[in-house]
Amino acid sequence: MNKRVTIKDIAQQAGVSVGTVDRVIHERGRVSAEVKEKVLQVMQALDFEPNLIASTLAFNRAIQIGVLMPQLHSDPYWDLPLLGMRRAQQSVRHYGVGLVEQMFDLFSPQDFKRSARALIDQKPDALVFPPIFLKESLELLDHCAEVEVPTILVNTDVEHPQVMSYIGQDSYQSGVLAGKLLSMAMNGAGKVLLLNLDKETTNAKHLMDKEHGLRHFLAQKDENSFTVLRQDVEDFDNPERLDSLLKSLLQQYVDIQTVFVTNSRAYKLVEAIQGLSQAHLPILGFDLLPNNLHFLQMGKIDFLINQNASYQGYLAIKNLTDYFIFKKQMPRVQHLPLDIVVAENAAYYVQREQGN
Amino acid sequence: MNKRVTIKDIAQQAGVSVGTVDRVIHERGRVSAEVKEKVLQVMQALDFEPNLIASTLAFNRAIQIGVLMPQLHSDPYWDLPLLGMRRAQQSVRHYGVGLVEQMFDLFSPQDFKRSARALIDQKPDALVFPPIFLKESLELLDHCAEVEVPTILVNTDVEHPQVMSYIGQDSYQSGVLAGKLLSMAMNGAGKVLLLNLDKETTNAKHLMDKEHGLRHFLAQKDENSFTVLRQDVEDFDNPERLDSLLKSLLQQYVDIQTVFVTNSRAYKLVEAIQGLSQAHLPILGFDLLPNNLHFLQMGKIDFLINQNASYQGYLAIKNLTDYFIFKKQMPRVQHLPLDIVVAENAAYYVQREQGN
DNA sequence: TTTTCTTGTGTGTGCGCACACACAATTTAA
DNA sequence: TTAAATTGTGTGTGCGCACACACAAGAAAA
């Protein structure tokens, strides 16, 4: 109930003007050592907290956040973080935070490079992007360092001094979690078919980490009973190929009991093997794409691990706002929860994706 | 990049003063129909959005939110929502939102009533509480209606016109989810021991809903193979009693394969049966209490369903802030996700509880 | 010694909005 | 018909802070 302490109060108590207090707060110099000391002392004594509302109003500066993301609607997974960023921007627009979006072709390093240049040329105050192409991303980070643009990475981490924060999943641990869930579905023994439905150029690190996590969990659980068969499929957009491939694998390895699709493309597998009638083959995939959710509800997919892709984008923008407007620090790494989603609890997560 | 539209711009375009624009915006009256029309038209045309930062600064009013919660540290579960509220208050304190906390004895309706009175006497702008005692809660809501204090319920919903919003879990669905997880742990058949570790006076509705959810799921999954044995234990603070009870139950019903503890007190069960050495008995419980987490990591508890108790509190305060400061609407019911927590993904949720 | 630069401090304006107040033009009551 | 109340509109101040500017006093340079 007691009125808030303002810089005016500080000034009065310290016997100086508000201008001097302001100089102390912002360390603008031009204050004698003794006066500065006195002011700091009074601030401490009165437990002064600057009014951030007034501060942002007076500050009156627009922050432009550069966003470099894969083309919208080119891949359903990559829509999620971008939509999350836009939602976040909406919720902080009053602080003068805006997005400068620049899209690139998900499968073209050249286009990534070109888009990056175009974005930097617009001199954003910060940059957010997923380092899908390692080499080009490192170049971009070097460039950011030159022009002093702080950067947040999403989806994949990269070690680089210019990276202020990484927001994303812990791929290794998601592999471990997959191991746990799949082993539960396997009554004690069996083979896991690990499917990498991806082009070689992208995400290699990711998928490897997941594989390691899975293998580690299964080995530690029961070294002899569980085995993993890995299969990489670059031609994942071709249902016939996928279908025949899977058929032959199941024929060849009769002990395949479950399938682990290492990214968000589990639905492609389900679509491809619709015809394949046989005993239920438990499938675990990632992310709450509409297609995945559909098959989850139908019982064709058993588990989805939600990597909170849209929340990654949301947090990136939120954190940058906190950083610029509220001068808050940011953790170097922010791992988001790995939600276990089954048909019975999917609704809440879907709702959350939309909302916040 | 284009400068934001202000009321000054509107005034200029409409050929009136800012005062008039202000009157139109806040519907303070005293504006002729034609001028009002004109102003609204210009606002529409220029896509005017009031600057909420400036607005809150000028509004300059403190909001006091009354919080009626069980005594801190009387039960570990109930600490969570309160701590969530305090965290939320910290993050919105700059908007002049404060909490007025009033605690009551978790097991005393009389004390609840008394505390409620004391809180209302302080004339808060809104009220948040869990309607643990139904009769007393309805009385309180009636009282709130009289003095026009909008109210948010957490943890349990109650139908009453004065309830602006309910934030909490969907108990029935959490029972369904428990059924899913337990049936996975049971290879096709077996008995679930359902343990209600609670006093009769509290939460009855809750626990019944969970039981119904569980039974419904199991029946629909396989009517004949799964059975449920329910046991209510009011004396849950007595380990010896719990221990001997469980021993005799396991002896009597040899087909008990899993245990479903319907609230956050799974750790009490584990503590009681430490000695009981037998084949692993999968246990499912609720909520991320330190003790529960400890046993989860040790493998004594297999699943925890996280009802996001602390986030419930957080959201309650956040939503009220949005309501009072930003004039946002609130959904009547907000169900939070039911997170499936196992040893392999617990860390993230624990971290989130602390953070946001 | 005079001039220029540096340092320390205070004053004033504006951010965009909310709200109180002044005051003219009506309208209604006396 | 005159006084009082009502309606419509504009002006001014303040919310708490950021920042530009003014200006005095002393230090350094000429």
Side-chain angles (χ1 to χ4, degrees):
Chain A
M1 239 24 171
N2 39 8
K3 260 187 73 249
R4 294 197 43 148
V5 178
T6 73
I7 55 170
K8 220 167 164 179
D9 300 324
I10 304 292
Q12 207 157 18
Q13 278 286 318
V16 296
S17 73
V18 291
T20 303
V21 175
D22 178 73
R23 257 166 247 127
V24 172
I25 291 176
H26 293 87
E27 296 182 333
R28 282 193 235 282
R30 303 275 169 104
V31 181
S32 70
E34 40 192 335
V35 170
K36 180 172 178 177
E37 193 51 47
K38 173 73 180 169
V39 169
L40 285 172
Q41 205 175 306
V42 174
M43 290 201 326
Q44 191 100 43
L46 298 193
D47 193 23
F48 172 73
E49 260 196 295
N51 182 331
L52 287 186
I53 301 299
S55 178
T56 44
L57 182 63
F59 191 50
N60 194 33
R61 182 160 90 86
I63 306 286
Q64 294 295 331
I65 301 178
V67 164
L68 182 60
M69 294 293 286
Q71 210 73 52
L72 199 60
H73 303 316
S74 64
D75 179 280
Y77 173 79
W78 286 106
D79 291 356
L80 299 177
L82 180 59
L83 295 179
M85 292 184 202
R86 288 182 179 172
R87 270 206 314 281
Q89 191 273 328
Q90 274 304 306
S91 81
V92 299
R93 65 185 188 282
H94 298 109
Y95 299 109
V97 175
L99 299 187
V100 187
E101 295 180 1
Q102 181 75 47
M103 312 300 197
F104 64 89
D105 180 342
L106 178 55
F107 298 112
S108 163
Q110 290 77 30
D111 194 50
F112 177 87
K113 206 164 166 173
R114 201 165 41 66
S115 302
R117 276 217 85 85
L119 186 51
I120 291 289
D121 284 348
Q122 295 181 61
K123 302 199 182 306
D125 299 287
L127 185 59
V128 181
F129 73 98
I132 292 181
F133 308 107
L134 184 58
K135 183 166 145 286
E136 287 76 11
S137 297
L138 287 172
E139 286 174 20
L140 175 54
L141 283 167
D142 286 341
H143 192 172
C144 286
E146 275 176 42
V147 294
E148 294 188 337
V149 174
T151 302
I152 290 190
L153 299 182
V154 293
N155 201 64
T156 315
D157 198 6
V158 160
E159 276 308 322
H160 190 286
Q162 195 62 15
V163 175
M164 191 159 58
S165 185
Y166 161 66
I167 300 174
Q169 70 279 31
D170 180 342
S171 293
Y172 179 85
Q173 194 60 26
S174 73
V176 171
L177 184 59
K180 163 80 159 220
L181 296 172
L182 291 173
S183 73
M184 278 172 34
M186 282 198 297
N187 329 312
K191 190 187 286 300
V192 176
L193 172 61
L194 184 154
L195 274 184
N196 287 328
L197 304 182
D198 211 337
K199 317 257 192 209
E200 207 183 351
T201 46
T202 63
N203 286 317
K205 174 82 160 41
H206 256 123
L207 306 186
M208 289 301 289
D209 286 346
K210 287 182 182 172
E211 179 173 352
H212 289 146
L214 176 80
R215 287 185 186 274
H216 178 256
F217 178 89
L218 293 179
Q220 153 258 307
K221 172 107 178 172
D222 187 340
E223 189 133 14
N224 306 312
S225 309
F226 296 113
T227 54
V228 177
L229 173 68
R230 166 176 158 187
Q231 183 72 44
D232 296 356
V233 183
E234 296 206 14
D235 195 14
F236 52 79
D237 267 327
N238 183 336
E240 290 78 20
R241 285 283 291 274
L242 247 183
D243 184 50
S244 68
L245 172 72
L246 204 76
K247 273 201 185 103
S248 71
L249 281 175
L250 288 176
Q251 216 152 18
Q252 195 176 349
Y253 303 96
V254 292
D255 58 338
I256 288 180
Q257 285 204 8
T258 62
V259 183
F260 176 31
V261 180
T262 55
N263 58 20
S264 64
R265 301 202 176 93
Y267 67 96
K268 295 229 183 241
L269 173 65
V270 178
E271 283 167 359
I273 64 172
Q274 290 276 24
L276 211 71
S277 80
Q278 70 148 62
H280 178 66
L281 181 67
I283 295 176
L284 183 150
F286 284 90
D287 300 314
L288 305 185
L289 308 186
N291 285 343
N292 282 343
L293 287 164
H294 175 194
F295 290 130
L296 186 73
Q297 296 299 351
M298 284 178 62
K300 302 276 190 181
I301 292 178
D302 293 74
F303 299 101
L304 288 174
I305 295 178
N306 178 19
Q307 302 181 113
N308 281 285
S310 88
Y311 195 55
Q312 287 180 27
Y314 188 87
L315 263 190
I317 303 306
K318 271 282 199 188
N319 281 357
L320 280 172
T321 304
D322 282 347
Y323 176 76
F324 281 114
I325 307 291
F326 303 117
K327 319 296 184 210
K328 277 198 201 151
Q329 283 308 303
M330 221 180 290
R332 172 60 181 77
V333 173
Q334 259 181 289
H335 281 145
L336 297 191
L338 297 169
D339 300 317
I340 302 170
V341 182
V342 294
E344 286 75 15
N345 71 344
Y348 309 109
Y349 293 109
V350 174
Q351 192 186 321
R352 195 176 65 183
E353 292 276 301
Q354 254 100 70
N356 122 86
Chain B
M1 237 27 173
N2 39 6
K3 260 186 74 245
R4 292 198 42 146
V5 178
T6 73
I7 55 168
K8 221 167 164 179
D9 300 324
I10 304 292
Q12 208 156 18
Q13 278 286 318
V16 296
S17 73
V18 292
T20 302
V21 175
D22 178 73
R23 258 166 247 127
V24 172
I25 292 175
H26 293 84
E27 297 183 334
R28 281 193 235 282
R30 302 274 169 107
V31 182
S32 70
E34 40 193 335
V35 170
K36 180 172 179 179
E37 192 50 47
K38 173 74 180 166
V39 169
L40 285 172
Q41 206 176 306
V42 173
M43 290 200 328
Q44 190 99 42
L46 297 194
D47 193 24
F48 172 72
E49 261 195 295
N51 182 331
L52 287 184
I53 301 301
S55 178
T56 45
L57 182 63
F59 191 52
N60 194 35
R61 180 160 91 88
I63 306 286
Q64 295 294 330
I65 301 177
V67 164
L68 181 62
M69 293 293 286
Q71 210 74 51
L72 200 60
H73 303 315
S74 63
D75 178 280
Y77 173 79
W78 284 107
D79 291 356
L80 300 177
L82 181 59
L83 296 178
M85 292 184 203
R86 288 182 178 172
R87 271 207 315 281
Q89 191 274 328
Q90 274 303 305
S91 81
V92 299
R93 64 186 189 283
H94 298 109
Y95 300 109
V97 175
L99 298 187
V100 188
E101 295 180 2
Q102 181 74 46
M103 312 301 197
F104 64 90
D105 180 341
L106 178 55
F107 298 111
S108 164
Q110 290 76 31
D111 194 49
F112 176 87
K113 206 164 168 172
R114 202 166 40 67
S115 302
R117 275 217 85 84
L119 186 51
I120 290 289
D121 284 349
Q122 295 181 61
K123 301 199 182 306
D125 299 287
L127 185 59
V128 181
F129 74 96
I132 293 182
F133 308 106
L134 184 58
K135 184 167 143 285
E136 288 76 9
S137 297
L138 287 172
E139 286 174 21
L140 174 54
L141 284 167
D142 285 341
H143 192 172
C144 286
E146 274 175 44
V147 294
E148 293 189 337
V149 174
T151 302
I152 290 189
L153 299 182
V154 292
N155 200 64
T156 316
D157 197 7
V158 161
E159 276 307 323
H160 191 286
Q162 197 60 15
V163 175
M164 192 159 55
S165 185
Y166 161 66
I167 300 175
Q169 68 279 33
D170 179 343
S171 293
Y172 178 84
Q173 194 60 25
S174 74
V176 171
L177 183 59
K180 162 81 161 219
L181 296 172
L182 290 173
S183 73
M184 278 172 33
M186 283 199 296
N187 329 311
K191 192 188 283 302
V192 177
L193 172 61
L194 184 153
L195 274 184
N196 287 327
L197 304 181
D198 210 337
K199 316 256 193 212
E200 207 183 351
T201 46
T202 62
N203 286 317
K205 174 79 161 42
H206 256 122
L207 305 187
M208 289 301 290
D209 286 345
K210 287 180 182 174
E211 181 174 350
H212 289 148
L214 176 80
R215 287 186 186 274
H216 178 255
F217 179 89
L218 292 179
Q220 153 259 306
K221 173 107 178 172
D222 187 340
E223 189 132 14
N224 306 311
S225 310
F226 296 113
T227 53
V228 177
L229 173 67
R230 166 175 157 187
Q231 183 72 44
D232 295 357
V233 183
E234 296 205 13
D235 195 15
F236 51 79
D237 267 328
N238 184 334
E240 291 78 21
R241 284 283 291 274
L242 246 182
D243 184 50
S244 69
L245 172 72
L246 203 76
K247 272 201 185 103
S248 71
L249 280 175
L250 289 175
Q251 218 152 17
Q252 193 177 348
Y253 303 96
V254 291
D255 58 338
I256 288 180
Q257 285 205 8
T258 62
V259 183
F260 175 33
V261 180
T262 54
N263 58 19
S264 64
R265 300 202 175 93
Y267 67 96
K268 295 233 183 238
L269 173 66
V270 178
E271 283 166 0
I273 64 172
Q274 291 275 23
L276 209 71
S277 79
Q278 71 150 60
H280 177 66
L281 182 66
I283 295 177
L284 182 150
F286 284 90
D287 299 314
L288 306 185
L289 307 185
N291 285 343
N292 282 341
L293 287 165
H294 173 87
F295 290 129
L296 186 73
Q297 296 298 351
M298 283 178 62
K300 302 274 191 182
I301 291 178
D302 293 72
F303 299 100
L304 289 173
I305 294 178
N306 179 19
Q307 304 182 110
N308 282 285
S310 89
Y311 194 55
Q312 288 179 28
Y314 187 86
L315 263 190
I317 303 306
K318 271 283 199 187
N319 281 356
L320 279 172
T321 304
D322 282 347
Y323 176 76
F324 281 114
I325 308 291
F326 302 118
K327 320 297 183 210
K328 277 197 203 154
Q329 283 309 302
M330 221 180 289
R332 172 60 182 78
V333 173
Q334 259 181 291
H335 283 146
L336 298 190
L338 297 169
D339 299 316
I340 301 170
V341 182
V342 294
E344 287 74 15
N345 70 344
Y348 310 107
Y349 292 108
V350 174
Q351 191 186 323
R352 195 177 62 183
E353 292 278 299
Q354 255 102 67
N356 120 94

mmCIF file of all heavy atoms in Angstrom, chain A residues 290-307:
data_model
loop_
_atom_site.group_PDB
_atom_site.id
_atom_site.type_symbol
_atom_site.label_atom_id
_atom_site.label_comp_id
_atom_site.label_asym_id
_atom_site.label_seq_id
_atom_site.Cartn_x
_atom_site.Cartn_y
_atom_site.Cartn_z
ATOM 1 N N PRO A 290 -0.484 -31.360 -37.095
ATOM 2 C CA PRO A 290 -1.869 -31.825 -37.287
ATOM 3 C C PRO A 290 -1.941 -33.278 -37.748
ATOM 4 O O PRO A 290 -2.735 -34.064 -37.210
ATOM 5 C CB PRO A 290 -2.399 -30.875 -38.368
ATOM 6 C CG PRO A 290 -1.607 -29.624 -38.188
ATOM 7 C CD PRO A 290 -0.243 -30.062 -37.738
ATOM 8 N N ASN A 291 -1.105 -33.639 -38.692
ATOM 9 C CA ASN A 291 -1.142 -35.018 -39.181
ATOM 10 C C ASN A 291 -0.746 -36.017 -38.107
ATOM 11 O O ASN A 291 -1.345 -37.076 -37.976
ATOM 12 C CB ASN A 291 -0.205 -35.180 -40.382
ATOM 13 C CG ASN A 291 -0.809 -34.564 -41.625
ATOM 14 O OD1 ASN A 291 -2.004 -34.310 -41.674
ATOM 15 N ND2 ASN A 291 0.032 -34.309 -42.615
ATOM 16 N N ASN A 292 0.265 -35.687 -37.371
ATOM 17 C CA ASN A 292 0.677 -36.578 -36.287
ATOM 18 C C ASN A 292 -0.438 -36.740 -35.263
ATOM 19 O O ASN A 292 -0.725 -37.843 -34.797
ATOM 20 C CB ASN A 292 1.924 -36.024 -35.596
ATOM 21 C CG ASN A 292 3.189 -36.290 -36.392
ATOM 22 O OD1 ASN A 292 3.201 -37.148 -37.282
ATOM 23 N ND2 ASN A 292 4.246 -35.555 -36.085
ATOM 24 N N LEU A 293 -1.061 -35.633 -34.919
ATOM 25 C CA LEU A 293 -2.131 -35.678 -33.928
ATOM 26 C C LEU A 293 -3.292 -36.531 -34.419
ATOM 27 O O LEU A 293 -3.892 -37.291 -33.667
ATOM 28 C CB LEU A 293 -2.606 -34.253 -33.628
ATOM 29 C CG LEU A 293 -1.616 -33.458 -32.789
ATOM 30 C CD1 LEU A 293 -1.933 -31.978 -32.838
ATOM 31 C CD2 LEU A 293 -1.637 -33.960 -31.353
ATOM 32 N N HIS A 294 -3.558 -36.395 -35.679
ATOM 33 C CA HIS A 294 -4.635 -37.179 -36.276
ATOM 34 C C HIS A 294 -4.370 -38.671 -36.081
ATOM 35 O O HIS A 294 -5.227 -39.420 -35.614
ATOM 36 C CB HIS A 294 -4.721 -36.818 -37.761
ATOM 37 C CG HIS A 294 -5.719 -37.638 -38.508
ATOM 38 N ND1 HIS A 294 -5.772 -37.701 -39.868
ATOM 39 C CD2 HIS A 294 -6.703 -38.443 -38.067
ATOM 40 C CE1 HIS A 294 -6.740 -38.514 -40.239
ATOM 41 N NE2 HIS A 294 -7.327 -38.984 -39.160
ATOM 42 N N PHE A 295 -3.185 -39.078 -36.425
ATOM 43 C CA PHE A 295 -2.860 -40.501 -36.305
ATOM 44 C C PHE A 295 -2.723 -40.939 -34.848
ATOM 45 O O PHE A 295 -2.948 -42.100 -34.514
ATOM 46 C CB PHE A 295 -1.584 -40.820 -37.082
ATOM 47 C CG PHE A 295 -1.771 -40.740 -38.576
ATOM 48 C CD1 PHE A 295 -0.897 -40.004 -39.360
ATOM 49 C CD2 PHE A 295 -2.818 -41.410 -39.192
ATOM 50 C CE1 PHE A 295 -1.074 -39.927 -40.736
ATOM 51 C CE2 PHE A 295 -2.998 -41.348 -40.575
ATOM 52 C CZ PHE A 295 -2.130 -40.605 -41.347
ATOM 53 N N LEU A 296 -2.372 -40.002 -33.997
ATOM 54 C CA LEU A 296 -2.322 -40.329 -32.570
ATOM 55 C C LEU A 296 -3.728 -40.664 -32.074
ATOM 56 O O LEU A 296 -3.941 -41.652 -31.365
ATOM 57 C CB LEU A 296 -1.761 -39.137 -31.787
ATOM 58 C CG LEU A 296 -1.513 -39.369 -30.300
ATOM 59 C CD1 LEU A 296 -0.298 -40.247 -30.079
ATOM 60 C CD2 LEU A 296 -1.323 -38.039 -29.553
ATOM 61 N N GLN A 297 -4.676 -39.837 -32.452
ATOM 62 C CA GLN A 297 -6.059 -40.079 -32.026
ATOM 63 C C GLN A 297 -6.598 -41.365 -32.608
ATOM 64 O O GLN A 297 -7.412 -42.048 -31.995
ATOM 65 C CB GLN A 297 -6.950 -38.903 -32.448
ATOM 66 C CG GLN A 297 -6.615 -37.581 -31.789
ATOM 67 C CD GLN A 297 -6.755 -37.599 -30.272
ATOM 68 O OE1 GLN A 297 -7.267 -38.559 -29.697
ATOM 69 N NE2 GLN A 297 -6.264 -36.564 -29.612
ATOM 70 N N MET A 298 -6.166 -41.701 -33.815
ATOM 71 C CA MET A 298 -6.648 -42.920 -34.458
ATOM 72 C C MET A 298 -5.973 -44.163 -33.900
ATOM 73 O O MET A 298 -6.342 -45.285 -34.240
ATOM 74 C CB MET A 298 -6.388 -42.856 -35.961
ATOM 75 C CG MET A 298 -7.341 -41.963 -36.713
ATOM 76 S SD MET A 298 -6.882 -41.945 -38.462
ATOM 77 C CE MET A 298 -7.125 -43.685 -38.886
ATOM 78 N N GLY A 299 -4.947 -43.976 -33.105
ATOM 79 C CA GLY A 299 -4.252 -45.129 -32.554
ATOM 80 C C GLY A 299 -3.159 -45.660 -33.465
ATOM 81 O O GLY A 299 -2.579 -46.706 -33.200
ATOM 82 N N LYS A 300 -2.868 -44.940 -34.541
ATOM 83 C CA LYS A 300 -1.819 -45.388 -35.459
ATOM 84 C C LYS A 300 -0.431 -44.974 -34.958
ATOM 85 O O LYS A 300 0.574 -45.582 -35.297
ATOM 86 C CB LYS A 300 -2.034 -44.775 -36.849
ATOM 87 C CG LYS A 300 -3.363 -45.088 -37.460
ATOM 88 C CD LYS A 300 -3.321 -46.434 -38.163
ATOM 89 C CE LYS A 300 -4.587 -46.625 -38.997
ATOM 90 N NZ LYS A 300 -4.601 -47.919 -39.688
ATOM 91 N N ILE A 301 -0.416 -43.893 -34.228
ATOM 92 C CA ILE A 301 0.818 -43.469 -33.561
ATOM 93 C C ILE A 301 0.572 -43.598 -32.065
ATOM 94 O O ILE A 301 -0.484 -43.192 -31.567
ATOM 95 C CB ILE A 301 1.184 -42.006 -33.910
ATOM 96 C CG1 ILE A 301 1.592 -41.896 -35.376
ATOM 97 C CG2 ILE A 301 2.304 -41.497 -33.018
ATOM 98 C CD1 ILE A 301 1.927 -40.470 -35.813
ATOM 99 N N ASP A 302 1.510 -44.156 -31.346
ATOM 100 C CA ASP A 302 1.287 -44.414 -29.920
ATOM 101 C C ASP A 302 1.784 -43.290 -29.026
ATOM 102 O O ASP A 302 1.155 -42.936 -28.042
ATOM 103 C CB ASP A 302 1.959 -45.726 -29.518
ATOM 104 C CG ASP A 302 1.273 -46.897 -30.180
ATOM 105 O OD1 ASP A 302 1.464 -47.075 -31.400
ATOM 106 O OD2 ASP A 302 0.522 -47.605 -29.487
ATOM 107 N N PHE A 303 2.949 -42.761 -29.375
ATOM 108 C CA PHE A 303 3.511 -41.676 -28.568
ATOM 109 C C PHE A 303 4.028 -40.570 -29.465
ATOM 110 O O PHE A 303 4.627 -40.828 -30.513
ATOM 111 C CB PHE A 303 4.714 -42.160 -27.749
ATOM 112 C CG PHE A 303 4.410 -43.248 -26.769
ATOM 113 C CD1 PHE A 303 4.721 -44.561 -27.074
ATOM 114 C CD2 PHE A 303 3.826 -42.958 -25.547
ATOM 115 C CE1 PHE A 303 4.458 -45.575 -26.168
ATOM 116 C CE2 PHE A 303 3.562 -43.975 -24.641
ATOM 117 C CZ PHE A 303 3.872 -45.277 -24.945
ATOM 118 N N LEU A 304 3.827 -39.361 -29.007
ATOM 119 C CA LEU A 304 4.526 -38.234 -29.618
ATOM 120 C C LEU A 304 5.305 -37.552 -28.508
ATOM 121 O O LEU A 304 4.766 -37.305 -27.423
ATOM 122 C CB LEU A 304 3.533 -37.251 -30.241
ATOM 123 C CG LEU A 304 2.831 -37.705 -31.516
ATOM 124 C CD1 LEU A 304 1.767 -36.696 -31.920
ATOM 125 C CD2 LEU A 304 3.842 -37.885 -32.650
ATOM 126 N N ILE A 305 6.556 -37.293 -28.757
ATOM 127 C CA ILE A 305 7.307 -36.465 -27.827
ATOM 128 C C ILE A 305 7.239 -35.046 -28.347
ATOM 129 O O ILE A 305 7.635 -34.769 -29.479
ATOM 130 C CB ILE A 305 8.770 -36.932 -27.714
ATOM 131 C CG1 ILE A 305 8.813 -38.335 -27.098
ATOM 132 C CG2 ILE A 305 9.575 -35.962 -26.853
ATOM 133 C CD1 ILE A 305 10.212 -38.914 -26.978
ATOM 134 N N ASN A 306 6.684 -34.172 -27.531
ATOM 135 C CA ASN A 306 6.507 -32.782 -27.946
ATOM 136 C C ASN A 306 7.752 -31.976 -27.601
ATOM 137 O O ASN A 306 8.099 -31.820 -26.440
ATOM 138 C CB ASN A 306 5.292 -32.196 -27.227
ATOM 139 C CG ASN A 306 5.055 -30.744 -27.561
ATOM 140 O OD1 ASN A 306 5.564 -30.251 -28.574
ATOM 141 N ND2 ASN A 306 4.287 -30.053 -26.743
ATOM 142 N N GLN A 307 8.375 -31.469 -28.618
ATOM 143 C CA GLN A 307 9.584 -30.684 -28.383
ATOM 144 C C GLN A 307 9.259 -29.203 -28.197
ATOM 145 O O GLN A 307 10.153 -28.371 -28.140
ATOM 146 C CB GLN A 307 10.558 -30.867 -29.548
ATOM 147 C CG GLN A 307 10.937 -32.313 -29.751
ATOM 148 C CD GLN A 307 11.921 -32.513 -30.896
ATOM 149 O OE1 GLN A 307 13.051 -32.895 -30.683
ATOM 150 N NE2 GLN A 307 11.489 -32.222 -32.098
#
